Amino acid sequence: MKAENEQRTGLLYGFGAYGMWGLVPLFWPLLKPSGAVEILAHRMVWSLAFVGVVLLALRRWGWIRELLRQPRKLGLTALAASVISVNWGLYIWAVNHGAVVEASLGYFINPLVTIGIGVLVLGERLRRAQWAAVGIGAAAVLVLAVGYGRPPWISLVLAFSFAAYGLIKKKLDMGGVESLAAETALLFLPALGYLLWLGAQGRSTFAAEGPGHSALLAATGLVTAIPLVFFGAAAIRVPLSTLGLLQYMAPVFQFGLGVLYFHEAMPPERWAGFSLVWVALALLTWDALRTARQSRIRLDALRAAGPSPAAPAHEPA
């Protein structure tokens, strides 16, 4: 009963995390006339403030000394911070420049890009269904390139940057709150310096647009950190396969907002490209569920068989 309650709680956290990520395109336009770089800088500064409060409440500081003693890990953290900055900044820019649908595509194809990186970088071997999904995904990008009249650069940069970020995080093996704190701490001084420079140039919108606008810019810390906290709570309570299915919630919401709320154009060739992406993801999901089920059956069979009988002891000479 306790395990069922934990899993139900984990599902709620997962729905909360991916639901917030899916609805975040509604938030960034509220920050206009701030530009994408200014919003990104505020996001870094206020995220560190929020995460610092969380760490203070949890009294979780020991990891900082350990991180500072490992130059390689510190370097990987700096690289992760740089990569996620590109991802965050481009996503904000895309939403505020009428490219919500193309941005959503980036997160639809992210699982396919992650699989490709696993093959090229980690030397992983793919099953036939995974190869087929990657091939269909590549065809979808070609179709969309024809539809847009150019490669879908926003989608590709978002997908590859987030996949690279995931790869770095895998090597870092740090908790969600600690990782976000370390990354934003490394970005804090450059971000704060940029905001101070904007203020000195008279180009900052933080105080110029009134207290409501200032509060919204400060809220970027909450918008960044709360879904990550929810995700961390979900990750320890539900199976990885369930999280893998939940991750499609965010781009589905983003796509729906782009088409229905922001009224972005969807000519037939874009529908064709997106349909191919969805076929690839359906194939990928089916293969993952089938593989998980086969693994569970094998594990249950081994448990049912019980421990193998011990070898007879040798009699003393």
Side-chain angles (χ1 to χ4, degrees), residues 26-281:
L26 295 173
F27 179 71
W28 303 126
L30 300 178
L31 303 179
K32 291 178 180 180
S34 299
V37 179
E38 183 180 3
I39 296 171
L40 177 63
H42 276 287
R43 189 175 187 179
M44 294 168 181
V45 169
W46 295 108
S47 294
L48 180 61
F50 178 81
V51 174
V53 171
V54 173
L55 290 173
L56 190 63
L58 296 175
R59 298 181 180 179
R60 201 184 294 170
W61 302 105
W63 60 273
I64 298 176
R65 189 180 296 110
E66 183 183 343
L67 178 62
L68 293 175
R69 288 175 179 170
Q70 301 179 63
R72 180 179 177 275
K73 198 168 185 178
L74 192 59
L76 283 174
T77 302
L79 182 60
S82 302
V83 171
I84 200 61
S85 296
V86 172
N87 186 274
W88 285 355
L90 180 59
Y91 184 76
I92 295 166
W93 182 91
V95 170
N96 285 351
H97 284 78
V100 175
V101 169
E102 190 175 349
S104 75
L105 175 64
Y107 295 105
F108 274 126
I109 65 176
N110 173 250
L112 301 171
V113 173
T114 300
I115 288 174
I117 287 180
V119 172
L120 296 174
V121 178
L122 302 179
E124 296 178 355
R125 299 183 65 180
L126 299 187
R127 297 181 292 274
R128 277 180 289 188
Q130 291 175 311
W131 276 117
V134 171
I136 294 169
V141 171
L142 289 176
V143 170
L144 287 163
V146 173
Y148 280 105
R150 56 170 174 79
W153 293 117
I154 293 173
S155 309
L156 293 173
V157 173
L158 287 175
F160 276 91
S161 60
F162 201 73
Y165 180 68
L167 176 64
I168 298 166
K169 296 277 276 189
K170 184 179 177 68
K171 292 181 178 295
L172 276 172
D173 192 26
M174 289 176 66
V177 176
E178 293 87 347
S179 180
L180 180 63
E183 291 160 20
T184 50
L186 289 169
L187 296 168
F188 178 80
L189 286 179
L192 182 62
Y194 177 75
L195 292 176
L196 292 174
W197 176 81
L198 274 184
Q201 296 289 313
R203 294 164 52 193
S204 172
T205 64
F206 183 69
E209 297 296 321
H213 185 74
S214 302
L216 285 172
L217 285 172
T220 55
L222 294 174
V223 170
T224 300
I226 290 177
L228 284 172
V229 173
F230 275 41
F231 175 78
I236 61 174
R237 289 177 170 87
V238 299
L240 194 61
S241 58
T242 304
L243 277 182
L245 292 176
L246 287 177
Q247 74 174 325
Y248 297 130
M249 274 182 61
V252 165
F253 281 12
Q254 293 162 10
F255 177 81
L257 286 173
V259 175
L260 301 175
Y261 182 81
F262 293 104
H263 304 293
E264 294 183 17
M266 279 296 291
E269 56 271 22
R270 287 189 197 172
W271 280 113
F274 270 87
S275 297
L276 284 173
V277 170
W278 295 331
V279 168
L281 292 178

